[in-house]
Amino acid sequence: MRLAELLGTLSIAADTGMGMPPDHGIRCASLAARLGELGGLTPQQRQEAFYLSLMRFVGCTADSDIASDVMGDEVRVRGALHGVDWVSPFEFLPGVARALGAGKNLRGAVALVRALAKMPRLMNGARSHCEVGDRLAGEIGFDASFRAALLQSFERWDGRGWPAKTAGNTIALSMRVTQVAEALEIGEHTRPEDPTWLLRKRSGTALDPDLVRQALEQKAELCRVLQVNSPWQTLLDSEPAEPWFATEEQVDRVLSAMADFADLKSNYTRGHSRAVAELAAATALRLGLAPQTALLARRAGLLHDIGRVVVSAGIWDKPARLTDAERESVRLHTYAGERILARSRALATISEVAVSAHERVDGSGYHRRVAGDACVAAARVLAAADVYCALTEQRPQRAAFTPRVAAQMLEEMATRRALCPDAVAAVLQVTGQAPPTPNRQGSTATNSESAATHSKAADVLTQREVEVLALVTRGMTNKEIASALQISVKTAGRHLENVFAKLGVTTRSAAAVWAMQNGVAGKH
């Protein structure tokens, strides 16, 4: 598979999670590649700018819970603030007021006052976004130069950006090109009659003035990149140098990064997709399905909740019963996932299984409501694995069910043919809730990868630090961690400081990503 296809898909997911216009990231990538070419950048620099444009907002789910608490529906509000200068109070404050409907009624005015009072909580968001993006880039396999540039995603030419106040030419050239490309894309989208208006407005403040001048001189050529019928095909045609083809190992790393990106959306789902993927693969092998089918089930498990990012974290983390409208939003996340994955031909087979994770054999699932033989073997396995993992994980409305109770619930679903009885039986054997029997290859399926990641966590952190990190991934404050572990708040804070130091992060979101990558998330 081409890396551009995989990361183009991730970029579309990030756009969706930020409420941005369709194709924002992939249009920026094509534009950055062309701007770099016209500006005489080396192929390596152009390729770096190309991939930075695709990766720039992959940390957007890092603080979804905080953003939702501050702004309400953070997806909608962030979309409404797209292109607004967060440094300028003359742009930012009116933008927030408009997004919250402050001028329409008293309810909007109250929402604005509450949002402004809570806004300081959101100011560390840029650091979280950058550190999470860095962790995901490392998972994918990008080098140190690329990751250093990605950490500068929200820096500005005038030094007023985040998180390090880096300024001028100390910002990587590839990132400066990416920033100029984004400003032109926003300008063309918002004012097609004057696409360079935002470049002119931010030259010398947010943007490198020399690169802006070059872009203005090449305005017609650059705008042609944006005025195409298929931004996706343009993306694939625009990749600088030779196309970058991912190895099978790298494909798995990218899909795992996409799983973590989706699972960060809620404090209650961190590590969920990885757990589903491994259980689905082990279940497929237990059933005697071909290794390629097990691989398909695992990869589909990593992507089955990618559409989660389109739904506000306020809904996912709501402790009370959902309204009918909220439940419908939740059900539509599989449709959103289908649309996110639809562009890439390379992901077509995986997508077909991934978007079927919430379907049921009796036709009672969503969103397609397919039934019977329309649910292929890998999809049946994935559905059973997903239900088991979800039941044994805590949710905002309930505690986690014990494995035994979860097993009983799966058996009941199999009895009424909501889930495939064979898939359920295999899931329960793999999880130790039913007597083990050899699979058709004559071996017992095990989760060796999970064991390996737990070993790595133990090598880096003490047992107490692992416990603290697991609770951090669930969004707990230091006070809540202290209560859960029966230690003082000061001691909890000291353990968390040690965790941050050992992992090389400064934010809880980045620590949560490490936890998901290393099998700690969800353990307590």
Side-chain angles (χ1 to χ4, degrees):
M1 298 184 193
R2 283 184 62 178
L3 188 62
E5 280 198 67
L6 296 172
L7 296 189
T9 300
L10 178 54
S11 175
I12 291 172
D15 288 347
T16 304
M18 290 285 285
M20 292 183 179
D23 301 328
H24 169 71
I26 63 177
R27 280 159 53 94
C28 287
S30 300
L31 198 56
R34 185 65 176 133
L35 178 60
E37 182 181 10
L38 295 172
L41 272 66
T42 67
Q44 181 180 354
Q45 289 172 324
R46 299 201 305 271
Q47 190 174 59
E48 190 165 274
F50 176 82
Y51 281 111
L52 283 170
S53 296
L54 298 178
M55 290 286 293
R56 192 171 174 213
F57 291 108
V58 298
C60 72
T61 53
D63 61 346
S64 293
D65 57 333
I66 298 174
S68 175
D69 181 52
V70 173
M71 299 186 291
D73 184 345
E74 79 284 2
V75 179
R76 181 187 63 79
V77 174
R78 280 172 165 170
L81 293 174
H82 180 55
V84 169
D85 188 348
W86 285 58
V87 168
S88 169
F90 301 105
E91 283 192 45
F92 177 66
L93 293 179
V96 172
R98 287 193 302 272
L100 296 176
K104 296 181 179 180
N105 50 47
L106 179 60
R107 185 176 181 179
V110 171
L112 176 62
V113 172
R114 289 177 176 172
L116 293 178
K118 295 178 178 180
M119 196 62 69
R121 293 186 63 206
L122 202 56
M123 288 299 101
N124 199 41
R127 183 181 296 276
S128 294
H129 286 211
C130 291
E131 287 196 359
V132 167
D134 174 62
R135 295 296 316 180
L136 297 182
E139 170 89 356
I140 292 167
F142 282 107
D143 62 20
S145 171
F146 180 92
R147 293 174 65 180
L150 188 62
L151 284 168
Q152 299 174 333
S153 291
F154 302 103
E155 302 292 358
R156 293 166 51 103
W157 179 263
D158 60 10
R160 299 178 67 198
W162 297 282
K165 304 297 181 184
T166 307
N169 289 327
T170 54
I171 301 172
L173 177 58
S174 54
M175 177 51 70
R176 283 180 275 141
V177 168
T178 298
Q179 293 171 338
V180 169
E182 184 190 33
L184 181 55
E185 196 282 334
I186 293 173
E188 197 274 341
H189 178 82
T190 54
R191 296 186 195 173
E193 73 283 359
D194 183 20
T196 60
W197 71 272
L198 195 56
L199 288 179
R200 300 193 305 271
K201 181 177 182 179
R202 296 189 181 170
S203 178
T205 54
L207 304 175
D208 181 339
D210 289 335
L211 288 176
V212 169
R213 177 182 51 77
Q214 293 176 26
L216 293 175
E217 291 173 353
Q218 302 289 344
K219 168 186 171 181
E221 179 63 26
L222 292 172
C223 285
R224 273 195 286 272
V225 176
L226 300 175
Q227 297 162 355
V228 295
N229 292 328
S230 175
W232 180 260
Q233 188 58 50
T234 301
L235 171 78
L236 300 182
D237 294 340
S238 297
E239 183 175 4
E242 290 296 318
W244 186 344
F245 285 92
T247 64
E248 286 298 300
E249 179 186 359
Q250 190 171 33
V251 169
D252 288 333
R253 291 202 303 265
V254 175
L255 299 186
S256 296
M258 294 171 72
D260 295 340
F261 164 79
D263 288 355
L264 269 176
K265 184 71 179 186
S266 168
N267 290 326
Y268 296 90
T269 58
R270 293 173 175 183
H272 171 74
S273 294
R274 286 181 182 253
V276 170
E278 295 308 319
L279 180 55
T283 300
L285 293 176
R286 170 67 62 187
L287 284 169
L289 300 177
Q292 282 302 109
T293 302
L295 177 64
L296 173 61
R298 181 167 64 80
R299 288 178 170 177
L302 292 170
L303 297 184
H304 81 284
D305 268 345
I306 191 68
R308 182 183 295 277
V309 298
V310 77
V311 182
S312 172
I315 293 178
W316 293 119
D317 292 353
K318 184 178 178 179
R321 183 172 179 174
L322 299 182
T323 65
D324 289 348
E326 289 168 341
R327 280 197 297 273
E328 187 61 21
S329 294
V330 168
R331 290 168 67 89
L332 284 174
H333 87 274
T334 58
Y335 174 75
E338 182 178 50
R339 301 321 308 156
I340 288 169
L341 299 172
R343 302 288 187 89
S344 172
R345 293 181 182 178
L347 291 175
T349 303
I350 300 172
S351 172
E352 188 65 24
V353 176
V355 301
S356 300
H358 298 283
E359 301 291 356
R360 298 293 178 256
V361 179
D362 62 359
S364 63
Y366 59 89
H367 66 282
R368 295 173 173 176
R369 298 185 70 84
V370 298
D373 292 339
C375 293
V376 298
R380 295 182 186 207
V381 163
L382 178 58
D386 179 50
V387 172
Y388 181 85
C389 288
L391 289 174
T392 53
E393 295 163 356
Q394 182 181 353
R395 291 292 181 262
Q397 306 90 355
R398 61 163 175 81
F401 292 104
T402 66
R404 185 63 256 166
V405 171
Q408 293 170 353
M409 296 172 76
L410 256 71
E411 288 171 338
E412 188 276 329
M413 293 181 73
T415 298
R416 58 184 170 86
R417 301 291 296 181
L419 294 175
C420 171
D422 289 341
V424 166
V427 164
L428 299 186
Q429 289 172 0
V430 169
T431 57
Q433 301 307 307
T437 57
N439 61 21
R440 292 182 189 176
Q441 284 74 36
S443 63
T444 300
T446 60
N447 190 349
S448 59
E449 180 175 330
S450 177
T453 54
H454 283 301
S455 175
K456 181 176 179 181
D459 289 342
V460 177
L461 305 174
T462 67
Q463 180 58 38
R464 179 61 87 187
E465 288 166 352
V466 169
E467 293 170 345
V468 169
L469 177 57
L471 297 177
V472 166
T473 67
R474 290 166 51 190
M476 286 192 176
T477 64
N478 285 8
K479 184 176 181 180
E480 291 168 333
I481 293 171
S483 176
L485 299 179
Q486 297 184 329
I487 58 179
S488 70
V489 176
K490 184 176 181 180
T491 300
R494 186 168 64 251
H495 283 310
L496 187 56
E497 288 176 1
N498 291 340
V499 169
F500 281 4
K502 290 181 178 182
L503 304 187
V505 302
T506 64
T507 65
R508 291 170 178 256
S509 298
V513 173
W514 191 95
M516 290 189 285
Q517 292 172 338
N518 293 279
V520 176
K523 304 299 177 185
H524 57 279

